[in-house]
Every structure is written in C-alpha cells, then in structure tokens.
C-alpha cells in the first residue's frame, strides 16, 4: 500500500481524512488492508522529525555544506495521528514538512512529492549544477518509470562524483611480484635461492604500486551505467573524463552485496584525499538498489526506513544562483552567519537565506526563501499562507542590517500571479519613518508549466526586483 502527498501538507489540519477515504487514498485492496492502516498507522501518534534518534534507517540528503540545519533545528518529516470527538466522525491526519522522498513505515510506502511538478524540480537541480540552458528533450532509453526522487539522486551523485574525483579516483598500494630480466623494487631472495640457481637470466622482484580500488571502481561505474540507461548519455556530460576512466578500469563483474559493503568501508576512504567518496558511494548504493528507491518488503516490515531530500535547501540554492547570475553588481551569499548578543547568556546565531550586498555602496537586500504554498490571498482566512514565525524572522534580519538595508522580504514559489499593489510595501511595517521596502514575492509556478514558461516567470521576478532596487539606489 502507498500514498502520495505533497510537501508541507495539512499543517493546519485543513485536509483530514475520514474512514471511507482511507481505502482510496492509501490504495487499500480490501477491508483487511483498511483495518491494518487504521490500527497500525493511526492507533497512536507517529511523529518523525529530522533529529537522528527519530529517523533510524532514514537517510536525509541536503544541498548545502556550510550549514547543517538538521543539527540545529528539529524539523517535521511526517506525522500520523487521529482525532475524534462526540459530535464529529473520526478524522485521520497526515502531515508533512519540507522534505521530499520516500518513507516505508508499517508496510506502507509514503511518497512525499513536490507540489510544483517535475519540470520545476529539474530546473532547480540544473541551476544548482550550473546548467542554465535546459534541453527540452533527451534521448534517454527509459525502460522503467522514473520519478522525481531518481532525478534528485542522479543530480547528487553526479555532483558528488565530480567534486570527489578532483584529486583522482581512490588508489591504494599493492605489492606486485614479477619475474623477468629487469629488476623493479627489491629482489626476492627466497625465490632466487629456489628458482634462479643456476642463474638463467631472470630474477624475481617485488615492488609496490598504486592501483585503483577495484570495489569502488566497479560500484561507481555501474551506477553511471544505471543513470545512462535511465536518463541517456547526456547525464555524463560533466563527468565524461571520469566516466571513461571508470570504464577502462571496470572489472567486468557485477558486484554482489559484499562488494558494496567492502567499498563503503574500505580503508582508503580514511585518507583525506578520498574521504569525499563516502558520500558518492552512498548515492551509488541507492542507484544500484534495483535502480530506484524501492526497499525490500522484508525491510519495510522490520523498521522505518527510506530516503529524504531537503527541498527547502534546494530552493534556497536555486534562488541564490538565480540572483547571482542576474545581479552582477551585487555579492549574493546564502546562509550568512549572524552572531548576536555574544556576551550574553541568550546569545544566538541567525542565518538569513539570501543576503545581497552592493559591491560599491555596501547597500543590502535581505530575503528569506520559503518553499511553502503562497496563494497571495488578500482576504482574511482561517489558515494563512504566511506563517507568523516567518514574518517575525525576516523582520529581525532586516533590523539587524540597518541602516544599510534598502529592502527585505520573503520569496516563495507562488501559486497565483502576483499583484505588487498588495504584496510590495514602500515602508517597513508600513511606518512612513522607516525608509526600507518590504515585499512578499517569488516565481509563479504550477505543475503544467514548460521550461520556457518557468524561464519567463524567472525573468519577470528578477525584473521586479531590479526595478525596486534601482529606485532605492537612485
């Protein structure tokens, strides 16, 4: 049984399930399956967060290295519980956070997907990988169905392999013995006494030579081949030289589970030169497990496991690259560390997602990126898309950068077209005495858009920012 749900789902319990919906939503085949869902998933509260002790077998992959938010904050991954009272039918609640991926729990597969479509996901991944011109079609031989998680893993593997292989593929010293008329290394005296008396013109010598670690080479090459089969040869563009080297040194034998474990724990990975391959091999392991993100049914029953991706980080990096590419006169940094009240017991660190600093005037623009639904609804409603905590947080960042800050705000993937009359304020807090703009803005996205549509909305977004910044600078 499985269920597909979007990220940041049901935060305000606005979309509860009732009992007769469980069978349809979870793909239950009969009443027995429905009973299993009721009794095993909703009999108590299951709360999975980004803290390691609650994740157990779940792997979380991020897109940033300078700061690991998972260690700083406890973030929601998945929450399951039921509510009932005397007047209403029992309600079943499934909540998700900002992590996309697949979780297997109690023999049920939870697919947490991004709500903006596969095209936008690929666009963000390509931007992060410094690919700004997307091909509308590829010649991939897709013999199996692909999903957005495979796209993410493919990107992470290629990026990680490219970085790790800067100093070469992992090598280790191996003793090699040769018998010839040339001496290399040291003469093997035992072999000389046994074989070379009387001397016939050949000697046995032993020398040490650096050779590629075969287990790692085989794992990496087969992962590349799996991606080629899934996405086409174009996926190897950035690592073509590495791929050819892997191909030349491949043993020709498909590795068994023991070989994979040996590659993951090989002593050569303790060498700082090759330590980055640990992460690369981790991605390769996922790719090689039947070339998708499925786990065996036996594992599903034994524990909670799966793979998750921090999509909010991906959105932050995507915006950082987009702004850096467009605003050439500005330094654009992500997750700048702000240390506040350092001499006090309540000292803190703050991390604004995006800080733009003008190269000449030192004027500052500060944004927080939020990968959450934003409908730009003007009317008062029970559930607001703009969270109170996000609102207070960005205002704290803006105040920190005074008096150099000229603009600040929150950036979203927008669910509706923007109207700047209701989203852009000329004054912070609406206070005429504070000459700082505050905006809620972003890129209008839906799951039916093509690459050209998204590119058009990106341009509209940066042009809106450019117009506001020019007015403030002048």
């Amino acid at each position: 049984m499985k269920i597909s749900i979007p990220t940041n789902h049901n935060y305000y319990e606005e979309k509860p399930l009732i009992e007769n919906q469980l069978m349809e939503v979870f793909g239950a085949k009969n009443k027995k399956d429905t009973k299993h869902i009721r009794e095993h998933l909703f009999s108590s509260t299951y709360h999975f967060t980004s803290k390691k002790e609650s994740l157990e077998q779940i792997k979380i992959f991020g897109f940033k290295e300078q700061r690991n938010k998972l260690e700083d904050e406890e973030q929601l991954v998945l929450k399951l519980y039921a509510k009932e009272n005397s007047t209403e039918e029992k309600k079943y609640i499934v909540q998700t956070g900002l992590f996309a991926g697949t979780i297997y729990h109690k023999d049920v597969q939870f697919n947490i997907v991004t709500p903006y479509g596969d095209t936008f996901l690929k666009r963000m991944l390509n931007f992060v990988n410094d690919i700004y011109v997307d091909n509308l079609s590829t010649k991939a031989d897709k013999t199996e169905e692909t999903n957005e998680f495979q796209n993410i893993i493919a990107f992470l593997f290629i990026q990680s392999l490219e970085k790790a292989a800067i100093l070469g593929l992992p090598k280790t010293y191996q003793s090699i013995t040769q018998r010839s008329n040339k001496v290399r290394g040291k003469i093997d005296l035992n072999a000389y006494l046994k074989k070379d008396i009387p001397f016939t013109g050949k000697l046995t010598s032993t020398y040490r030579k650096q050779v590629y670690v075969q287990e790692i080479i085989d794992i990496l090459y087969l992962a590349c081949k799996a991606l080629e089969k899934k996405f086409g040869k174009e996926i190897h563009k950035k690592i073509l030289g590495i791929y050819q080297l892997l191909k030349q040194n491949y043993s020709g034998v498909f590795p068994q589970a023991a070989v994979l474990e040996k590659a993951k724990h090989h002593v050569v990975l303790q060498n700082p030169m090759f330590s980055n391959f640990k992460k690369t091999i981790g991605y390769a392991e996922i790719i090689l497990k039947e070339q998708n993100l499925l786990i065996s049914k036996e594992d599903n029953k034994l524990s909670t496991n799966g793979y998750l991706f921090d999509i909010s980080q991906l959105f932050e990096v995507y915006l950082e690259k987009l702004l850096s590419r467009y605003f050439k006169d500005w330094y654009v940094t992500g997750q700048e560390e702000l240390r506040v009240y350092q001499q006090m017991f309540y000292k803190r660190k703050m991390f604004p997602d995006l800080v733009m600093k003008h190269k000449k005037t030192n004027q500052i623009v500060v944004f927080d990126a939020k990968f959450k639904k934003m409908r730009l609804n003007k009317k008062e409603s029970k559930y607001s898309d703009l969270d109170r905590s996000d609102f207070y947080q960005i205002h704290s960042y803006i105040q920190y950068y005074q008096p150099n800050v000229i603009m600040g705000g929150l950036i979203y993937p927008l669910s509706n077209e923007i109207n700047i009359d209701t989203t852009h304020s000329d004054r912070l807090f609406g206070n005429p005495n504070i000459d700082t703009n505050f905006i809620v803005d972003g890129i209008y996205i839906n799951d039916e858009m093509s690459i050209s549509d998204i590119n058009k909305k990106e341009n509209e977004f940066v042009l809106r920012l450019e117009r506001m910044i020019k007015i403030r600078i002048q």
Side-chain angles (χ1 to χ4, degrees):
M1 292 178 288
K2 65 181 178 180
I3 179 175
S4 291
I5 39 179
T7 56
N8 204 38
H9 176 67
N10 220 8
Y11 183 79
Y12 296 104
E13 301 179 357
E14 68 272 23
K15 293 183 179 180
L17 300 172
I18 57 177
E19 187 159 343
N20 60 12
Q21 293 177 311
L22 292 179
M23 179 178 287
E24 179 184 355
V25 172
F26 280 87
K29 296 179 181 179
N30 49 49
K31 291 183 178 180
K32 182 180 178 181
D33 287 345
T34 305
K35 183 180 179 182
H36 173 88
I37 294 168
R38 232 180 18 249
E39 294 181 354
H40 290 82
L41 296 183
F42 297 101
S43 58
S44 61
T45 299
Y46 292 97
H47 192 192
F48 303 102
T49 70
S50 57
K51 288 296 184 181
K52 291 181 180 179
E53 57 267 23
S54 68
L55 285 175
E56 299 178 359
Q57 301 297 321
I58 298 175
K59 296 180 180 180
I60 294 185
F61 302 104
F63 296 86
K64 289 189 171 184
E65 296 183 0
Q66 62 267 37
R67 178 196 170 209
N68 186 357
K69 290 196 293 187
L70 304 180
E71 296 177 357
D72 298 340
E73 308 161 5
E74 188 170 15
Q75 301 179 66
L76 174 66
V77 173
L78 177 68
K79 189 175 182 181
L80 309 170
Y81 60 99
K83 296 178 70 175
E84 63 179 329
N85 55 44
S86 57
T87 60
E88 294 182 342
E89 185 177 359
K90 191 171 185 178
K91 295 179 179 179
Y92 302 91
I93 311 296
V94 180
Q95 293 180 339
T96 60
L98 295 175
F99 298 91
T102 299
I103 294 178
Y104 300 88
H105 176 65
K106 302 289 185 180
D107 209 22
V108 175
Q109 177 180 336
F110 293 85
N111 286 331
I112 307 173
V113 301
T114 56
Y116 303 103
D118 189 53
T119 304
F120 184 56
L121 178 66
K122 289 180 180 177
R123 177 66 169 170
M124 289 194 292
L125 290 171
N126 283 342
F127 243 76
V128 173
N129 211 17
D130 297 321
I131 301 173
Y132 302 114
V133 179
D134 296 271
N135 294 320
L136 297 180
S137 62
T138 59
K139 298 179 181 179
D141 178 20
K142 297 187 179 181
T143 56
E144 300 174 21
E145 182 182 354
T146 59
N147 58 49
E148 62 183 42
F149 310 131
Q150 292 172 331
N151 293 331
I152 297 174
I153 279 292
F155 159 76
L156 291 173
F157 173 75
I158 295 296
Q159 184 188 54
S160 176
L161 179 57
E162 181 187 24
K163 179 181 177 182
I166 288 176
L167 298 177
L169 297 173
K171 287 184 176 182
T172 186
Y173 279 100
Q174 181 177 334
S175 294
I176 297 176
T177 300
Q178 72 172 22
R179 179 173 170 77
S180 69
N181 53 7
K182 294 182 180 179
V183 175
R184 185 174 179 181
K186 59 182 181 180
I187 296 175
D188 187 337
L189 291 178
N190 289 330
Y192 175 76
L193 294 173
K194 291 178 181 179
K195 300 178 181 179
D196 298 324
I197 297 178
F199 181 63
T200 59
K202 291 185 177 181
L203 290 174
T204 301
S205 59
T206 302
Y207 63 95
R208 288 173 61 81
K209 179 183 179 181
Q210 274 194 325
V211 295
Y212 291 113
V213 179
Q214 195 61 58
E215 296 85 359
I216 295 177
I217 295 294
D218 290 353
I219 294 297
L220 296 180
Y221 174 71
L222 287 172
C224 290
K225 288 294 291 182
L227 293 182
E228 182 180 320
K229 181 180 179 182
K230 190 75 64 176
F231 301 101
K233 293 184 178 180
E234 292 182 0
I235 197 165
H236 297 321
K237 274 187 177 180
K238 295 199 71 176
I239 57 164
L240 189 57
I242 304 168
Y243 175 70
Q244 293 297 333
L245 189 59
L246 290 171
K247 185 176 181 180
Q248 292 169 12
N249 292 277
Y250 174 50
S251 68
V253 179
F254 193 91
Q256 302 300 314
V259 176
L260 176 59
E261 289 301 312
K262 190 173 181 181
K264 287 166 58 179
H265 302 100
H266 200 284
V267 67
V268 75
L269 300 179
Q270 304 301 320
N271 186 332
M273 282 182 61
F274 305 123
S275 59
N276 286 334
F277 280 94
K278 292 179 183 178
K279 187 180 292 186
T280 311
I281 295 170
Y283 298 140
E285 178 184 11
I286 299 173
I287 294 168
L288 289 177
K289 284 188 173 180
E290 299 181 31
Q291 302 176 17
N292 55 35
L293 298 184
L294 297 179
I295 300 177
S296 68
K297 293 182 179 179
E298 290 74 16
D299 288 340
N300 296 347
K301 295 176 181 177
L302 292 173
S303 63
T304 299
N305 44 43
Y307 305 91
L308 294 170
F309 309 92
D310 192 340
I311 300 298
S312 62
Q313 280 192 3
L314 176 60
F315 185 59
E316 291 168 16
V317 178
Y318 159 72
L319 287 176
E320 182 183 344
K321 295 272 188 174
L322 177 64
L323 296 177
S324 297
R325 182 167 174 254
Y326 192 86
F327 293 96
K328 302 294 186 182
D329 294 332
W330 296 74
Y331 298 111
V332 181
T333 57
Q335 294 288 329
E336 181 174 346
E337 182 177 312
L338 310 179
R339 298 175 179 266
V340 298
Y341 299 116
Q342 285 303 293
Q343 305 304 318
M344 307 298 173
F345 77 91
Y346 45 82
K347 65 181 180 179
R348 289 287 187 275
K349 294 179 182 178
M350 302 193 302
F351 298 88
D353 292 332
L354 296 164
V355 178
M356 299 172 58
K357 183 177 291 186
H358 197 276
K359 294 179 179 179
K360 294 181 179 179
T361 66
N362 286 329
Q363 290 172 301
I364 289 175
V365 176
V366 57
F367 294 124
D368 239 18
K370 300 298 176 185
F371 194 75
K372 301 176 181 179
K373 179 181 284 293
M374 175 50 66
R375 291 164 290 193
L376 302 171
N377 195 340
K378 188 177 180 181
K379 297 179 180 179
E380 293 288 336
S381 62
K382 183 179 179 181
Y383 309 114
S384 172
D385 287 339
L386 203 160
D387 292 343
R388 181 189 295 265
S389 59
D390 295 339
F391 182 79
Y392 291 154
Q393 185 180 50
I394 185 58
H395 280 83
S396 297
Y397 297 154
I398 294 171
Q399 290 288 4
Y400 178 88
Y401 286 107
Q402 293 287 4
N404 294 328
V405 62
I406 60 173
M407 182 169 64
L410 298 167
I411 308 298
Y412 295 84
L414 303 178
S415 299
N416 293 312
E417 293 281 7
I418 194 168
N419 177 5
I420 62 173
D421 294 334
T422 60
T423 60
H424 290 190
S425 173
D426 292 336
R427 295 290 185 270
L428 191 65
F429 301 113
N431 187 335
N433 299 318
I434 306 179
D435 190 20
T436 301
N437 293 138
F438 180 79
I439 66 172
V440 173
D441 209 310
I443 303 165
Y444 172 53
I445 296 293
N446 64 55
D447 57 5
E448 297 180 354
M449 283 184 166
S450 65
I451 286 292
S452 58
D453 294 332
I454 295 172
N455 188 39
K456 179 182 176 182
K457 295 304 175 183
E458 289 172 347
N459 290 333
E460 291 176 3
F461 165 63
V462 293
L463 286 172
R464 284 195 299 271
L465 295 184
E466 184 182 42
R467 283 194 294 268
M468 294 189 69
I469 289 173
K470 280 184 176 179
I471 293 173
R472 294 310 313 273
I473 291 179
Q474 290 172 357

